[in-house]
Amino acid sequence: MISMNLKSMRKLHRLTQEEVAEKIGVSRQAVAKWENGETVPDIQNCLALAELYDVVLDDLVKNSDQHVKIGIRPKGKHMFGMVKVGDRGQIVIPKKARDIFDIRSGDRLVVLGDEAQGIAIFKLWSAIEKLKGDITIILTTHYMEEAEALSDRIGVMSKGKLRAVGTTAELTAKTSTGSLKDAFVSLATLEEAVG
């Protein structure tokens, strides 16, 4: 198992046995013996090899023949299995994926597509939090907790008119309320729009 993985990872990274040996501080003969299955690298060398190939140690050691076509996953990358698309386009995200990425019922996900690369799905909040500060994002939402968590400034619109703009603290202070939801209700009932 490990011998095949070592050989395939070396070839994938376009390295010679000599280059691998030099990078981890062993002889070329040691690398050749590991790849031929004559000997097995000790734990320190396994760690060095996993680091060199940027893979999870467990996968380097345990990845079996049946998974070789998929390949050993890089650190932080996951293969959760296959999902079937339902009649109306719905998919069920595997439980392990939901657990690792903290996806819960009601979460909003962004689905992006690239005709050459495929489809990517990610949590809306995570994407916006990573972009904050680098670009201006205009987000429309009816969820107050989403607006409060993701926004530096919030604009309250009602009946097609902008009623107020400010931070959560500014809007709650302006309306003498204790929450963004209460501030929104108060501001949405105003007759005048912000000038």
Side-chain angles (χ1 to χ4, degrees):
M1 219 178 334
I2 189 170
S3 60
M4 288 178 51
N5 295 341
L6 292 174
K7 191 172 191 172
S8 66
M9 291 306 296
R10 179 178 57 79
K11 288 182 176 183
L12 179 70
H13 286 82
R14 297 185 177 129
L15 295 170
T16 64
Q17 289 180 342
E18 291 84 6
E19 291 169 325
V20 171
E22 184 180 317
K23 289 180 185 291
I24 65 167
V26 298
S27 68
R28 186 207 55 81
Q29 290 82 0
V31 173
K33 286 180 180 180
W34 298 338
E35 289 184 2
N36 292 330
E38 293 175 34
T39 62
V40 176
D42 64 22
I43 190 67
Q44 292 296 74
N45 287 321
C46 285
L47 288 168
L49 290 161
E51 184 73 24
L52 173 66
Y53 297 135
D54 194 30
V55 296
V56 178
L57 176 62
D58 208 37
D59 288 348
L60 182 67
V61 174
K62 292 183 180 177
N63 199 54
S64 65
D65 300 7
Q66 66 211 39
H67 297 107
V68 168
K69 288 180 183 164
I70 296 172
I72 299 172
R73 64 186 170 100
K75 286 182 188 172
K77 307 291 183 190
H78 303 275
M79 173 73 170
F80 296 109
M82 304 293 284
V83 296
K84 183 177 178 184
V85 178
D87 294 339
R88 297 184 311 164
Q90 69 275 30
I91 62 169
V92 175
I93 298 172
K95 182 175 181 346
K96 186 173 180 182
R98 295 191 314 265
D99 291 345
I100 288 173
F101 295 105
D102 193 30
I103 298 172
R104 301 172 191 267
S105 178
D107 281 352
R108 295 173 69 189
L109 304 176
V110 176
V111 179
L112 297 177
D114 180 311
E115 291 179 12
Q117 300 291 323
I119 294 176
I121 300 173
F122 57 92
K123 287 178 77 169
L124 178 64
W125 285 29
S126 299
I128 292 173
E129 286 170 347
K130 286 178 185 170
L131 293 171
K132 277 179 72 171
D134 293 335
I135 62 171
T136 300
I137 301 169
I138 298 175
L139 170 71
T140 61
T141 184
H142 291 116
Y143 300 100
M144 294 301 117
E145 65 276 3
E146 188 172 66
E148 196 164 9
L150 298 176
S151 303
D152 296 323
R153 295 176 47 80
I154 299 168
V156 177
M157 291 191 73
S158 176
K159 299 178 185 171
K161 295 182 181 177
L162 186 60
R163 304 296 177 176
V165 177
T167 64
T168 299
E170 291 168 346
L171 295 175
T172 54
K174 179 177 184 170
T175 57
S176 301
T177 56
S179 71
L180 181 59
K181 181 179 179 181
D182 293 337
F184 172 80
V185 171
S186 176
L187 292 164
T189 58
L190 290 176
E191 291 301 317
E192 287 184 33
V194 173

